[in-house]
Amino acid sequence: IPDKIPGPDEEPPAVTIRRDGGTVIEEYRQGVTRTIVMVRVTPENGITYTYLDTDGDGRLEGDPKDGPVAPVFYTLYE
């Protein structure tokens, strides 16, 4: 099983949803220490974007080959 797919005995992530003005911020935390694994931001006017912890260290970072700007993942179709 790849690292990002939880096993059958893993607890699902805890989700905290908060508002900052018209923006909705969803924080997904997992494990005993409740480290952040994903943040989804839905602005009042705009496209929803997602930041991921790609290496499991609790920091939301981008791929070094993409440069200093972290990639943003957009949902194009659901």
Side-chain angles (χ1 to χ4, degrees):
I1 297 177
D3 291 341
K4 293 297 178 182
I5 297 175
D9 57 339
E10 276 191 61
E11 186 177 325
V15 182
T16 303
I17 301 172
R18 60 186 170 92
R19 288 190 172 273
D20 185 8
T23 302
V24 177
I25 301 167
E26 301 170 51
E27 294 178 349
Y28 294 78
R29 296 175 181 267
Q30 195 162 26
V32 175
T33 59
R34 292 295 181 207
T35 55
I36 293 179
V37 293
M38 183 174 83
V39 174
R40 179 175 290 151
V41 181
T42 307
E44 185 174 5
N45 299 314
I47 302 172
T48 299
Y49 50 96
T50 305
Y51 297 101
L52 298 172
D53 176 12
T54 57
D55 61 3
D57 68 353
R59 294 179 53 191
L60 304 173
E61 65 235 341
D63 190 341
K65 69 181 178 194
D66 291 334
V69 178
V72 178
F73 301 94
Y74 293 98
T75 302
L76 298 176
Y77 180 75
E78 283 188 300

